[in-house]
Amino acid sequence: MSAQNTLNIKTAQDIDKPELSIDADVVIVGSGAGGAINAYELARQGKKVVVLEAGPYVPSSKFSEMMAVAMGTLYQDEGGQSNTHGDISVLQGACVGGSTVVNAALCFRTPEYYLDLWAREFGLDNLTPELMSSYFDKVEKNLSIDKNGPQETSIGAHLISNGLKQLGIREGVAYRNIRDCALTGFCFAGCKTDRKQSMLVTYLPWACNHGAEIYADTRVTRINTQNGRATGVEAQVIDPKTKTVKSNVKVNAPIVVLAAGPVQTPIILMQSGIANSSGQVGKNFACHPTLSITAMFDRHVDDFHGATHSLYVDTHVLPEEGGYLLLNAVQDPVEASFQAEPGTGAPYVAYMEKYRNSIRLITLIHDQNVGEIRFKDGVKEIIYEVDDKDFEIMKEGLKYNARILFAAGAEYLYLPTSDRTLIKSVEEIDSVIDQLKNEPARYRYVSFHPQGSCRMGADPTKTVVNPYGETHDVKQLYIADASLLPTSIGYNPSETVYALASYIADQIAKANFS
């Protein structure tokens, strides 16, 4: 059954009252990974669950399969969200289903390295490998997370695989939350065939089947509290066409689950003036900055069909091993057009004429939690610059990346700089990359993985959320999104969020419904 037939959803178009008051057992802010999973797990306990989503409801039947259109309809700030320097695009979904609608579906279990680190440094002794394994098993079954089959491997990934074999480098095969992938390569623009198992086609309709209600176009402005306990939220229904307030909404609920994302969650807490006795709300932001090297071949490759990600290289992913991960990725022409700087006019046209000859390989770094989310006078700021030490890690990752691409048969490479930078041979790799300096606005960074702005931990003076997902300061106010992560984890964090959200839902049920 399609999601459209099972979602109990109201949009701004459906609401004609200037004031709306709703009573519920649980109100959930955000309909992405954390929000949707909590909606289902708590609704199936027989509780009345209301989900508020600031973004629009776009059914999969209306996905355009065009990246340029998707940016304007499915992404935060129409795809324009970035750090204050404007050199890192921080991409998040802003629609019913959240980032799960527009991510690449790539899934990794949290490495035990980080679970051990979090236990040691943040007192998260409860998140043992054994416990987390049970939750990984659960979400992998529910979301059809499985290893890519050979038929799903893109042409570019085959070339990269050949390069890895020549260099004797271990290859990782991607796991994705996909069912019978159509191999169209449109993951970042939304999956029109509902084969990507996003929240839009899994946990949200499941939650609605248990009575949950979803309100789209509804932006939460405040969390209400009384005597140190959450009592609900205030929100505004925004007309997506006029951008005006159509209705003021108040949801009365003794349990609030905040899952608006690592940028928006701390902003809502700041607007509400709560849960920040530690002074850590919005601090410790990380985002896994990535740079893609574009490789040009002497023939058409047509690397735009197949799994969005087919393979990865994690031989240097842990901090002691280097701190970077490599990922292949197919790309459509829009993405290709901003991955490198070929120049303008004739040089740009010549570059795009060779789009069919290109493939890309991404370097993703495990970054330090050096960023901060701020909100002042109604203005959002993502204060983040790539740390000097992290930039040296990025350079090592780019060298590794470049050697693999040349081994795969590339003629020459474009580096993702704001000026035209080519590497024409293996011999040039070190000299060209060693000259790169950590300068703002020089590189074409992209981040799909904001995280860490409301850290989870045992010490209420250093973290925002306790080991069970409840804020230290406000009882029955829970956070269930990637803002919880105490550190960057160096891998795509989606499965970590799926598992933590399931765990937190169980803790909510145990504490309140037993």
Side-chain angles (χ1 to χ4, degrees), residues 178-196:
I178 295 286
R179 182 172 292 172
D180 298 325
C181 184
L183 307 178
T184 61
F186 293 126
C187 274
F188 295 137
C191 182
K192 195 175 184 70
T193 61
D194 286 346
R195 300 180 190 221
K196 177 162 63 175

Side-chain angles (χ1 to χ4, degrees), residues 51-105:
V51 180
L52 306 181
E53 169 57 55
Y57 170 50
V58 183
S60 52
S61 60
K62 293 187 178 180
F63 291 161
S64 66
E65 297 189 325
M66 295 177 64
M67 190 68 179
V69 175
M71 283 285 187
T73 55
L74 301 174
Y75 282 78
Q76 184 69 42
D77 298 348
E78 298 183 343
Q81 181 172 264
S82 67
N83 64 338
T84 50
H85 282 303
D87 61 345
I88 304 178
S89 296
V90 182
L91 298 176
Q92 288 181 284
C95 56
V96 173
S99 293
T100 69
V101 174
V102 295
N103 70 14

Side-chain angles (χ1 to χ4, degrees), residues 249-381:
V249 180
K250 184 176 183 181
V251 182
N252 304 301
I255 296 170
V256 176
V257 179
L258 188 50
V263 177
Q264 291 72 27
T265 283
I267 287 175
I268 292 171
L269 293 178
M270 292 174 200
Q271 288 178 300
S272 307
I274 59 172
N276 198 22
S277 64
S278 65
Q280 296 301 299
V281 168
K283 303 287 181 64
N284 312 302
F285 177 81
C287 63
H288 287 169
T290 70
L291 292 176
S292 294
I293 295 182
T294 301
M296 289 294 184
F297 287 74
D298 62 0
R299 62 193 183 280
H300 288 170
V301 177
D302 293 340
D303 188 32
F304 39 79
H305 296 298
T308 304
H309 295 304
S310 298
L311 61 81
Y312 62 89
V313 181
D314 65 352
T315 53
H316 294 75
V317 71
L318 296 179
E320 290 84 353
E321 297 169 344
Y324 56 85
L325 176 74
L326 303 187
L327 299 165
N328 90 292
V330 301
Q331 62 181 345
D332 74 2
V334 173
E335 291 175 277
S337 71
F338 58 69
Q339 291 296 342
E341 179 52 69
T344 58
Y348 178 78
V349 172
Y351 169 77
M352 288 307 296
E353 283 178 340
K354 290 191 174 182
Y355 159 65
R356 295 181 64 187
N357 296 30
S358 71
I359 69 172
R360 65 168 164 159
L361 185 57
I362 298 168
T363 298
L364 176 155
I365 61 171
H366 159 80
D367 54 328
Q368 305 303 306
N369 294 71
V370 297
E372 182 179 353
I373 306 301
R374 295 180 187 170
F375 188 73
K376 186 176 181 181
D377 299 326
V379 177
K380 168 183 67 179
E381 287 187 305

Side-chain angles (χ1 to χ4, degrees), residues 14-163:
D14 302 315
I15 296 173
D16 53 15
K17 295 181 180 179
E19 305 287 333
L20 197 60
S21 182
I22 303 167
D23 293 324
D25 298 313
V26 183
V27 59
I28 296 174
V29 184
S31 65
I37 288 174
N38 271 268
Y40 167 65
E41 295 292 356
L42 300 177
R44 74 186 185 93
Q45 304 272 342
K47 303 302 176 183
K48 182 178 179 181
V49 173
V50 171
V51 180
L52 306 181
E53 169 57 55
Y57 170 50
V58 183
S60 52
S61 60
K62 293 187 178 180
F63 291 161
S64 66
E65 297 189 325
M66 295 177 64
M67 190 68 179
V69 175
M71 283 285 187
T73 55
L74 301 174
Y75 282 78
Q76 184 69 42
D77 298 348
E78 298 183 343
Q81 181 172 264
S82 67
N83 64 338
T84 50
H85 282 303
D87 61 345
I88 304 178
S89 296
V90 182
L91 298 176
Q92 288 181 284
C95 56
V96 173
S99 293
T100 69
V101 174
V102 295
N103 70 14
L106 187 59
C107 293
F108 294 94
R109 291 190 173 200
T110 318
E112 288 188 17
Y113 173 97
Y114 291 104
L115 298 179
D116 293 341
L117 176 70
W118 296 348
R120 262 191 339 269
E121 296 192 2
F122 295 92
L124 299 180
D125 301 319
N126 53 319
L127 301 182
T128 63
E130 293 74 23
L131 177 135
M132 291 299 289
S133 180
S134 67
Y135 283 99
F136 291 136
D137 288 343
K138 179 179 183 179
V139 298
E140 286 170 2
K141 180 180 179 181
N142 286 348
L143 296 172
S144 300
I145 297 172
D146 205 353
K147 181 185 281 191
N148 278 3
Q151 79 282 2
E152 296 176 300
T153 305
S154 69
I155 295 173
H158 276 300
L159 292 171
I160 292 167
S161 180
N162 291 337

